[in-house]
């Protein structure tokens, strides 16, 4: 909601995908083809309970953040339904909880991050306000720009954003400093830049307790072989004392 609120025409669409039932989609405007009155009693109850829960969340967001909210209750394959709903509702960002299965990113989250729409997976420690945001950047591009953009919106004018990059040799420092300067100059906000001679995972773990949120790229532009040899940073981070957000700028933008 805070990311969307930074746009004058921003809005939030809250989606719940319920278990397979007869029908399709129910929206708060009742424009879909799923009518609870035409469903069996148990299915109608699940749909109503889901819509009521999402509407309570929507009311809180409208009051606290001041952003318009819509509610969608849908049924079907979770990945397909999520991507289709984002397209129908004209959404340009999908936000989902970070979920793991057997120590790896869940198939649902992996598919959403790999989809055509910009996506963000959020692993929460319970933080509600993100005053200090750390953005590790490995290379310039759409992903780096999106991460810094989201970070500045979440931190707000009273917060702080640190864009950092890690180097292995001191001779790389000047080029890394120029790279960070070029990335942050596009934003009308004070952004700290840091160049650390360290391995990125160790750097984040050592500094995470001074930040509320670490925003990382999904490494979606890397080959499968590269990801196998060196897993993405977010998969190597464990037990950091702050929220983690994984950002993918959408396969259509790669």
């Amino acid at each position: 909601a805070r990311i969307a609120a930074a746009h004058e025409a921003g809005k939030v669409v809250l989606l719940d995908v319920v278990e397979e039932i007869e029908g399709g989609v129910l929206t708060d405007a009742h424009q879909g083809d799923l009518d609870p009155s035409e469903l069996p009693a148990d299915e109608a109850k699940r749909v109503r309970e889901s819509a009521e829960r999402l509407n309570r969340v929507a009311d809180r967001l409208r009051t606290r953040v001041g952003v318009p909210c819509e509610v969608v209750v849908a049924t079907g394959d979770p990945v397909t339904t999520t991507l289709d709903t984002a397209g129908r509702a004209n959404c340009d960002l999908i936000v989902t909880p970070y979920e793991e299965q057997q120590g790896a990113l869940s198939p649902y989250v992996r598919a959403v991050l790999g989809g055509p729409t910009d996506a963000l997976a959020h692993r929460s420690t319970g933080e509600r306000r993100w005053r200090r945001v750390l953005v590790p950047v490995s290379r310039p591009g759409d992903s780096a720009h999106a991460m810094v953009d989201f970070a500045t919106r979440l931190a707000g004018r009273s917060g702080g954003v640190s864009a950092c990059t890690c180097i292995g040799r001191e001779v790389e420092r000047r080029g890394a400093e120029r790279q960070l300067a070029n990335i942050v100059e596009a934003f009308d906000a004070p952004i700290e830049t840091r160049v650390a001679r360290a391995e990125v995972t160790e750097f984040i773990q050592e500094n995470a307790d001074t930040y509320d949120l670490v925003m990382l790229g999904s490494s979606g532009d890397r080959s499968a072989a590269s990801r196998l040899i060196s897993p993405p940073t977010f998969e190597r981070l464990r037990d950091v004392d702050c929220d983690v957000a994984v950002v993918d700028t959408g396969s259509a933008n790669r």
Side-chain angles (χ1 to χ4, degrees):
R2 294 190 183 107
I3 290 175
H7 281 299
E8 186 174 339
K11 70 174 181 179
V12 172
V13 178
L14 300 177
L15 168 68
D16 188 18
V17 182
V18 299
E19 296 178 13
E20 191 70 31
I21 60 177
E22 296 293 333
V25 176
L26 170 71
T27 74
D28 55 355
H30 301 290
Q31 295 173 342
D33 55 6
L34 179 58
D35 185 350
S37 66
E38 298 178 358
L39 297 175
D42 58 337
E43 295 182 351
K45 180 181 178 181
R46 285 192 288 123
V47 171
R48 283 195 298 267
E49 288 176 346
S50 178
E52 290 169 358
R53 178 175 59 85
L54 293 187
N55 274 307
R56 288 194 295 270
V57 176
D59 288 341
R60 289 199 301 270
L61 293 180
R62 294 185 189 107
T63 301
R64 296 179 183 179
V65 186
V67 64
C69 292
E70 299 176 8
V71 166
V72 175
V73 180
T75 182
D77 172 74
V79 173
T80 302
T81 303
T82 298
L83 298 178
D84 286 350
T85 301
R88 291 185 184 185
N90 196 30
C91 296
D92 49 23
L93 176 66
I94 298 173
V95 178
T96 181
Y98 183 104
E99 298 172 341
E100 290 186 335
Q101 290 183 3
Q102 299 178 340
L105 203 61
S106 74
Y108 171 79
V109 177
R110 192 174 297 279
V112 170
L113 289 176
T117 305
D118 289 2
L120 185 156
H122 177 217
R123 189 170 74 196
S124 175
T125 59
E127 289 289 342
R128 298 270 180 127
R129 300 293 294 180
W130 302 280
R131 298 297 188 189
R132 291 279 297 162
V133 184
L134 177 65
V135 185
V137 175
S138 60
R139 63 183 67 84
D142 290 339
S143 180
H145 186 277
M147 289 191 297
V148 175
D149 181 24
F150 294 161
T152 57
R153 299 192 212 180
L154 292 172
R157 292 292 180 180
S158 61
V161 175
S162 296
C164 74
T165 192
C166 293
I167 58 175
R169 299 176 301 163
E170 193 61 30
V171 70
E172 300 169 353
R173 181 173 298 275
R174 183 168 295 181
E177 290 173 344
R178 285 197 301 267
Q179 173 181 289
L180 287 179
N182 290 336
I183 292 172
V184 304
E185 70 177 3
F187 298 92
D188 183 22
I191 301 173
E192 176 189 36
T193 58
R194 301 179 62 177
V195 176
R197 187 172 177 181
E199 196 277 326
V200 62
T201 306
E202 294 177 359
F203 174 80
I204 294 171
Q205 290 173 329
E206 291 173 358
N207 291 272
D209 59 353
T210 62
Y211 292 92
D212 304 311
L213 173 69
V214 175
M215 192 160 285
L216 299 164
S218 70
S219 299
D221 55 350
R222 290 171 51 194
S223 67
S226 172
R227 291 165 63 92
L228 181 63
I229 295 172
S230 178
T233 301
F234 67 85
E235 290 187 349
R236 290 182 277 133
L237 281 180
R238 291 291 183 271
D239 302 323
V240 291
D241 190 24
C242 69
D243 284 14
V244 175
V246 182
V247 175
D248 189 286
T249 52
S251 58
N253 295 327
R254 291 182 194 142

